[in-house]
Structure formats: structure tokens, C-alpha cells
């Protein structure tokens, strides 16, 4: 009986350690529509802590395990502050590496994210969306947390998530 209890305690302890190592996905990233319809990436990292490795990955619907066909990635740490930029034109200082066409492709699923690590906590600012969802946004609206919201609602959601 002691052996069974020790094994159970070991498994439970191991699960706690493993769960402590994974990053939380928080609604700190969104996509907004500019007045001319251009999609913009919106990053709202928590506090004054730096973030790293922002990226945009686009795959055809149903191709979650397939190759990325459009997007970009940045291999950079120590980025700071809010960011708001055309979805396919990250800030020049980020030295983004682009893949595929620099536009939303029909019937594609996208993931926009960045990683943030502070005080031993890891969190990702993440938003998932489709071309069609972003195409329906009106100026001033933001797609985040799986839904359409106003810019003010997004700012409140991001601040409350921290």
C-alpha cells in the first residue's frame, strides 16, 4: 500500500512540475481593421517586461500539421512596449523573415503570437483567426479571444489578463 501511495504521489508531483513549465496563452494579441481595410497586428504585452519571438503562421484550413504557407517570424528577444503594425509588415527593426505571400490567403487559418517571460512566469500573447473572420472586421473592431470586439474592449481584456 505504501508503494502505491508513493507512486501516486510521484505522478501527481510530476504533473505539477510539468504543468508549471507550460506557458499560458493570454489574449494579449489581436488583429484590427484599419479604415482602408488593411489588417493590423496589435500586441499588448503585460507591464514593462520584454517579449520575444513574435510570429505569424498561416496554413490552409485543415492543414494544422502541414507547412506554413504564409507569414513571418522574428528571432529577437527584449522587444518592449505595445506594438500596432500592418499584419504583414512588422517593424523594420525586428528583421522579420517572411514566408510566402505577404497577404491574407483565402481559406487559411492563422496564429499570431509573441512570448513573454517575467519573474519565472511564461505567457504567450496569442490570437487565432481565419482570413474570413478578419475580412468581416469593420474599422475600429478587433478580433481577439475568439470573437469580434471594439478596440476599447480589447484594451480592457488585455489589461485584465495581466
Amino acid at each position: 500500500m505504501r508503494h502505491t501511495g508513493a507512486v501516486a504521489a510521484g505522478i501527481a508531483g510530476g504533473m505539477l512540475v510539468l504543468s508549471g513549465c507550460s506557458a499560458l496563452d493570454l489574449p494579449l494579441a489581436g488583429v484590427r481593421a484599419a479604415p482602408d481595410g488593411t489588417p493590423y497586428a496589435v500586441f499588448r504585452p503585460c507591464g514593462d517586461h520584454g517579449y520575444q519571438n513574435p510570429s505569424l503562421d498561416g496554413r490552409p484550413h485543415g492543414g494544422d500539421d502541414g507547412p506554413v504557407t504564409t507569414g513571418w517570424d522574428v528571432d529577437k528577444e527584449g522587444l518592449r512596449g505595445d506594438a500596432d503594425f500592418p499584419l504583414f509588415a512588422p517593424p523594420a527593426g525586428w528583421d522579420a523573415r517572411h514566408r510566402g505571400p505577404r497577404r491574407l490567403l483565402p481559406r487559411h487559418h492563422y496564429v499570431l503570437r509573441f512570448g513573454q517571460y517575467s519573474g519565472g512566469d511564461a505567457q504567450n500573447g496569442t490570437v487565432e483567426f481565419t482570413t474570413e473572420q478578419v475580412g468581416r472586421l469593420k474599422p475600429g473592431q478587433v478580433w481577439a479571444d475568439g470573437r469580434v470586439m471594439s478596440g476599447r474592449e480589447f484594451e480592457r481584456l488585455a489589461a485584465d489578463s495581466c
Side-chain angles (χ1 to χ4, degrees):
M1 189 69 162
R2 282 186 198 175
H3 179 68
T4 303
V7 170
I11 290 171
M15 290 179 76
L16 284 173
V17 169
L18 289 176
S19 67
C21 293
S22 63
L24 293 174
D25 286 335
L26 300 175
L28 304 175
V31 179
R32 72 172 179 85
D36 67 358
T38 301
Y40 270 68
V42 183
F43 288 171
R44 296 298 184 258
C46 292
D48 193 25
H49 303 289
Y51 57 96
Q52 63 187 27
N53 304 329
S55 66
L56 173 67
D57 291 336
R59 293 180 170 84
H61 287 302
D64 293 339
D65 295 330
V68 171
T69 57
T70 181
W72 49 264
D73 63 81
V74 173
D75 185 21
K76 200 168 218 171
E77 296 182 16
L79 301 170
R80 295 201 177 284
D82 293 349
D84 195 345
F85 55 88
L87 189 59
F88 286 91
W94 288 10
D95 300 320
R97 182 182 68 162
H98 292 270
R99 299 176 301 275
R102 295 183 186 186
R103 60 185 167 75
L104 291 172
L105 298 177
R107 297 174 302 283
H108 270 63
H109 176 262
Y110 290 86
V111 179
L112 176 67
R113 70 169 38 112
F114 64 87
Q116 189 171 26
Y117 305 93
S118 60
D121 292 330
Q123 56 211 23
N124 297 317
T126 303
V127 61
E128 295 188 33
F129 59 93
T130 66
T131 303
E132 296 77 17
Q133 288 165 332
V134 170
R136 289 191 293 267
L137 291 176
K138 295 180 175 91
Q141 290 183 321
V142 177
W143 179 269
D145 200 30
R147 58 194 166 100
V148 175
M149 61 187 72
S150 71
R152 177 178 277 170
E153 288 172 303
F154 172 70
E155 297 295 339
R156 190 172 35 249
L157 175 67
D160 291 347
S161 296
C162 292

